[in-house]
Amino acid sequence: MTGEDGVRGSWDAGDQILWRYRANGGGGFHICRPVTVVRDAPDLLAVWMAPGTECVRPVLADGTPPHEEPLATRYTKPRTVRRDRWAGTGVLKLARPGEPWSVWLFWHPDWRFKNWYVNLEEPRVRWDGGVDSEDHFLDISVQPDRSWRWHDEDEFAQAQRAGLMAPRQARRVREAGDAAVEAIRAWGTPFRDHWPAWRPDPVWPIPALPEDWDRTPAHVSS
C-alpha cells in the first residue's frame, strides 16, 4: 500500500507513530503527540490520539503556558518544552496528501459528537516514525449543523508582527483557509463522511512518548 504522502511503505491499523510540529521561526520540534494509526491509504492518513497520552508541548521558559501570556509578548519571550498528558477526550486526526490542513474530530465524554476542527498547517512530511508539520496559527471550527467560524486570527496577526511568518507565507495560509472554507461550504470530504460514528479499537494501548521524540529522521519523504 502507498502511504499518506504517496510513497511506498504504509502503516497498518494499530501501529503507533509520532505526530510532530516544528517550532515556528526556529529549529527543532516543540509539539509531539504519540498516536495510533487508524487508516493509512493513498488518499488519507487517519490517526487516534487517546485520552491521557503523554505529549510534548511548548511553554515559556518560566513554565507559563503560551495562551496565558499577553498576546503582545507571546511570541517574543524565550520558550522551552514540557512533557505533559493530553487532557480531555481523545482526538481523531485526518490528513490528506499535500493538503495544507488537517481535520480533527472531537467528542463529548459520552461519545456524542462535538465538532470538527480544521488545523491550518504545512503539508505533512512523512518519515519512518511518523509525520512532521508546522502549525500556521489560523484555525476553523465546524459544528454538526455545518456552521463554522475562524479561530486565532489575533495570534495569526501577532505571529506576523513577531516575524514568525513572512507576508508571502501569510497570504498562502489565508488562501489555504479560504480553500478549507469552500470545502466546508460544499460539505465535502471528510465532513460528509462517517467519521463522527467511528470508535477506537478498545484493545489499543496508549502509545508511549519515546525519550528520543525529537530525533532527526534518517530518511524523510516529502
Side-chain angles (χ1 to χ4, degrees):
M1 185 185 294
T2 304
E4 186 266 353
D5 60 353
V7 299
R8 193 72 183 176
S10 66
W11 296 297
D12 295 325
D15 285 350
Q16 298 177 358
I17 64 172
L18 302 178
W19 186 292
R20 308 190 299 184
Y21 289 97
R22 295 182 296 275
N24 302 93
F29 298 93
H30 69 160
I31 294 174
C32 179
R33 295 165 181 163
V35 295
T36 301
V37 174
V38 175
R39 180 188 300 173
D40 185 14
D43 62 343
L44 180 72
L45 174 64
V47 303
W48 168 245
M49 184 170 63
T53 299
E54 186 179 20
C55 304
V56 172
R57 63 181 179 88
V59 294
L60 300 187
D62 63 2
T64 302
H67 69 272
E68 295 182 6
E69 177 68 19
L71 187 63
T73 53
R74 190 171 301 172
Y75 301 119
T76 56
K77 286 192 173 181
R79 291 193 177 198
T80 185
V81 296
R82 172 180 293 172
R83 297 169 76 108
D84 204 352
R85 297 282 175 179
W86 180 262
T89 59
V91 183
L92 179 68
K93 297 187 177 188
L94 310 174
R96 296 198 295 177
E99 208 161 50
W101 64 78
S102 57
V103 179
W104 305 358
L105 283 77
F106 292 86
W107 288 265
H108 295 284
D110 62 358
W111 278 107
R112 286 179 298 118
F113 182 62
K114 185 177 181 181
N115 66 279
W116 295 269
Y117 196 82
V118 180
N119 194 74
L120 295 175
E121 60 190 47
E122 198 70 23
R124 286 126 325 267
V125 174
R126 181 188 181 110
W127 55 289
D128 60 352
V131 292
D132 295 341
S133 182
E134 182 176 304
D135 185 76
H136 285 163
F137 301 98
L138 197 60
D139 306 303
I140 308 166
S141 66
V142 185
Q143 302 303 314
D145 65 1
R146 303 191 183 189
S147 62
W148 59 272
R149 70 182 183 93
W150 294 102
H151 287 264
D152 302 328
E153 290 186 282
D154 57 343
E155 293 191 350
F156 181 61
Q158 185 62 32
Q160 294 172 65
R161 288 192 289 269
L164 298 182
M165 184 173 290
R168 183 176 180 181
Q169 183 185 20
R171 287 194 297 271
R172 290 199 305 267
V173 172
R174 180 61 77 173
E175 289 169 359
D178 292 340
V181 167
E182 288 304 308
I184 295 165
R185 287 173 171 162
W187 211 242
T189 295
F191 309 105
R192 68 186 181 196
D193 299 333
H194 68 281
W195 292 109
W198 175 87
R199 299 292 183 268
D201 190 324
V203 306
W204 285 344
I206 297 178
L209 178 66
E211 290 298 325
D212 61 346
W213 61 268
D214 59 347
R215 64 189 182 274
T216 300
H219 173 71
V220 172
S221 302
S222 59

